[in-house]
Amino acid sequence: CGGGEEQPEHVDAPAEFSFPPTFSVSEIKNKQRRHLMFMKLKQEKRKQKVAMKKKKKKERDALGDKAPPKEVPKTIENQRVYDETTVNPEDEEVAFDEGTDEFSAYFNRLTNPKVLITTSDRPRGRTVRFCNQLATVIPDAHVYYRRGLALKKVIPQCIARGFTYLMVINEDRKVPNGMVLCHLPDGPTAHFKVSSVRLRKEMKRRGKDPTEHSPEVILNNFTTRLGHSMGRLFAALFPHDPQFVGRQVATFHNQRDFIFFRFHRYIFKNEKRVGIQELGPRFTLKLRSLQKGTFDSKFGEYEWVLKRHENDVCRRRFNL
């Protein structure tokens, strides 16, 4: 070699990483390499999305007032198919049905709610705690154990003792997973799937235990005839006149046929600002069936039964 200094080799800068248009991560057999390539592909898509947003923002700033209106993103809510059974509160037919249905005695202040809460046979600790916490939410609610009695034998005893509701909490693998809500003495009976149960000790930043004051009741988005019936079913669980001194509110919020229950307390910070503090428990209900009359699994007549939808159009059609 000559005596001159060695010149460093020139290394080209790596080109920006990109995938061929027909590339499929699933074709890679090695699991670790497939995961690595998937993360790179995901990162590349994220960069492209950010770059596209910046480009659109620059174009809108350049156009100013002449910029076209922003596109409204498609969601399940705004793509919902209109339901012909949507209730108009001023409809005379709806008013007549309300005056003659099973809940008319409650709304005419002829009866006061009294609820019996029970469970399936041999309930576990979590289900028992859930029932006890429900009894602190619903005024004049009493928790009893079934002791192997059939519901057909329990219902006449409830009617004889003046109960207006029978609530049965079912469980699977030690977790509450179902609720039967039977309005007495004439029905109807609703069967719900229960999910996302959070007890008070499992909630962060919860408030103190609720007091014995009767809460306010908020019913959101029960717009159809079936949803209207569900709203009246939930409303009749609570006394007519809430005690505002307790600052407690029970909310049933319907969204895409899922009914979210929350229990809060108002916190007044000053004359203009107010906050809410969740007390618990919280859970989600999904209506499975609505049966006329009291519970009868063999000969009962069903007003409505949940059916599984197969096409995308029906996925945008909701029942409540």
Side-chain angles (χ1 to χ4, degrees):
C1 296
E5 295 182 358
E6 294 183 0
Q7 297 293 330
E9 295 182 0
H10 177 70
V11 180
D12 295 333
E16 187 177 353
F17 183 81
S18 62
F19 293 96
T22 59
F23 176 76
S24 177
V25 179
S26 60
E27 297 176 1
I28 302 175
K29 303 301 181 183
N30 186 279
K31 183 178 180 180
Q32 294 180 348
R33 185 170 179 80
R34 183 171 65 246
H35 177 70
L36 179 63
M37 298 298 286
F38 172 76
M39 297 305 295
K40 288 183 178 179
L41 182 62
K42 192 175 181 180
Q43 186 178 8
E44 183 182 359
K45 288 183 178 180
R46 189 183 298 113
K47 288 182 179 179
Q48 293 176 357
K49 189 175 181 180
V50 172
M52 184 63 69
K53 282 186 176 181
K54 289 182 178 179
K55 182 181 177 182
K56 287 185 177 181
K57 188 176 184 302
K58 287 183 179 179
E59 292 177 353
R60 292 185 63 83
D61 293 341
L63 293 174
D65 296 337
K66 296 181 179 179
K70 290 185 178 181
E71 297 180 359
V72 179
K74 290 184 179 181
T75 62
I76 296 179
E77 291 294 334
N78 60 26
Q79 295 297 309
R80 176 174 180 172
V81 178
Y82 177 76
D83 195 331
E84 296 178 354
T85 64
T86 301
V87 172
N88 183 3
E90 299 179 357
D91 192 349
E92 295 181 358
E93 182 180 354
V94 174
F96 176 78
D97 291 343
E98 290 180 355
T100 56
D101 66 0
E102 299 90 342
F103 309 105
S104 59
Y106 165 80
F107 286 99
N108 291 330
R109 297 178 177 266
L110 300 178
T111 60
N112 293 318
K114 185 179 180 182
V115 183
L116 185 143
I117 302 175
T118 186
T119 63
S120 55
D121 292 335
R122 294 188 293 275
R124 300 294 180 173
R126 183 176 174 80
T127 303
V128 174
R129 290 194 296 272
F130 181 51
C131 293
N132 291 332
Q133 292 186 14
L134 283 177
T136 62
V137 172
I138 304 172
D140 203 6
H142 308 268
V143 180
Y144 289 96
Y145 299 110
R146 285 198 30 198
R147 298 175 183 175
L149 286 176
L151 286 182
K152 285 189 176 182
K153 295 182 179 179
V154 175
I155 290 174
Q157 297 181 17
C158 293
I159 296 174
R161 298 182 182 183
F163 285 98
T164 60
Y165 270 99
L166 172 63
M167 180 184 295
V168 183
I169 305 298
N170 297 318
E171 69 174 9
D172 182 34
R173 298 179 183 179
K174 304 179 183 180
V175 177
N177 73 328
M179 176 190 295
V180 177
L181 190 58
C182 180
H183 182 259
L184 302 175
D186 301 321
T189 301
H191 185 195
F192 300 94
K193 177 186 175 182
V194 180
S195 60
S196 304
V197 177
R198 296 284 297 276
L199 302 180
R200 292 194 177 109
K201 288 188 177 180
E202 301 167 356
M203 300 172 60
K204 296 181 180 179
R205 297 184 295 274
R206 66 178 180 90
K208 295 181 180 180
D209 291 344
T211 60
E212 295 181 357
H213 297 91
S214 299
E216 300 177 59
V217 181
I218 297 178
L219 303 169
N220 285 336
N221 204 24
F222 294 92
T223 56
T224 64
R225 294 298 291 266
L226 179 63
H228 199 62
S229 298
M230 287 298 99
R232 291 172 67 83
L233 180 72
F234 293 131
L237 281 168
F238 297 86
H240 305 94
D241 300 316
Q243 296 173 332
F244 297 102
V245 177
R247 297 178 286 115
Q248 297 177 159
V249 55
T251 304
F252 295 89
H253 176 74
N254 173 45
Q255 186 172 0
R256 304 175 192 171
D257 288 349
F258 288 93
I259 303 169
F260 301 92
F261 175 81
R262 298 293 185 269
F263 193 55
H264 292 94
R265 176 184 290 129
Y266 292 119
I267 303 296
F268 292 97
K269 299 178 181 180
N270 52 45
E271 294 181 357
K272 296 182 179 180
R273 295 183 59 195
V274 62
I276 56 175
Q277 187 179 47
E278 189 168 1
L279 305 179
R282 67 163 64 169
F283 55 90
T284 304
L285 300 175
K286 175 75 172 179
L287 182 63
R288 292 301 187 189
S289 64
L290 181 65
Q291 181 183 355
K292 290 184 178 180
T294 56
F295 178 82
D296 190 346
S297 59
K298 191 173 182 180
F299 301 105
E301 180 183 355
Y302 289 88
E303 295 185 24
W304 182 87
V305 178
L306 177 66
K307 296 180 181 179
R308 298 190 63 179
H309 301 305
E310 298 180 357
N311 53 45
D312 294 337
V313 176
C314 291
R315 286 178 59 188
R316 299 195 298 268
R317 181 178 292 113
F318 304 114
N319 301 296
L320 299 182

